[in-house]
Amino acid sequence: MDIRLLPLEEAFARFMPEVDDIGARTMTYSAVDKYKAVVVEGDFVVDAEGFVRTDEMVPVPDGAMVAAIFITGDLRAEKATLIEPDIDWSPLLKIKGSVFARNLFVGGSASEIDGDLKVEGAIVGHYNHGMLTVRGGTSASVVLANDYEFEFVKGVAASYVLNASGRLDRKSTRLN
């Protein structure tokens, strides 16, 4: 596993070339050139238990302003609850592989998982500044979306799914 800090525009050119407006996608707007992206080549394992902030799960040099984290393999955090630190803005996560976690709480980034999302407990999305797209299969015990957009391209396997309007919808590919 190799961890590097890259200019934000360079990382987007490599991992998300389809994104036209990096500033809007990362909420960095006119300051894109001041921000960096953390790039993890290969799988990344979070050994910690309990709450782990997504902006602190990968080591970052002091003073670096990070707007995105790109992981080219899987993100494994089976003992952790991954939680975004801010509902207004959190670093974008782009996972090229799959994500395995105890729980996932998201709210302030426009993130993507290209593989599967497998969560033992709950997937919770809260607040309208965020969205999560999962291109593979998704499984969890509970999925809660409160003024938050999930796109589950291959659907969701969950015991309980609740969106902001209060409807139970296990077959939906979009929740908000």
Side-chain angles (χ1 to χ4, degrees), residues 59-173:
V60 175
D62 286 343
M65 293 180 9
V66 174
I69 300 169
F70 295 91
I71 299 175
T72 65
D74 292 341
L75 170 57
R76 302 193 78 83
E78 284 99 346
K79 297 181 277 182
T81 294
L82 298 177
I83 186 166
E84 289 187 337
D86 191 335
I87 59 173
D88 274 334
W89 181 87
S90 291
L92 170 143
L93 297 175
K94 171 67 172 182
I95 313 298
K96 299 293 283 178
S98 295
V99 173
F100 306 90
R102 175 160 290 173
N103 297 291
L104 177 64
F105 298 167
V106 290
S109 72
S111 296
E112 298 181 2
I113 300 168
D114 290 344
D116 297 331
L117 172 57
K118 295 184 183 254
V119 172
E120 179 184 328
I123 301 170
V124 177
H126 175 71
Y127 200 56
N128 62 13
H129 282 168
M131 68 175 289
L132 174 65
T133 300
V134 182
R135 291 191 176 77
T138 301
S139 64
S141 294
V142 175
V143 178
L144 302 173
N146 182 31
D147 197 18
Y148 185 88
E149 184 175 345
F150 285 114
E151 181 179 10
F152 301 116
V153 173
K154 293 189 177 175
V156 179
S159 299
Y160 188 74
V161 178
L162 183 65
N163 63 16
S165 62
R167 290 175 286 158
L168 181 65
D169 187 357
R170 289 187 188 99
K171 295 183 181 180
S172 179
T173 58

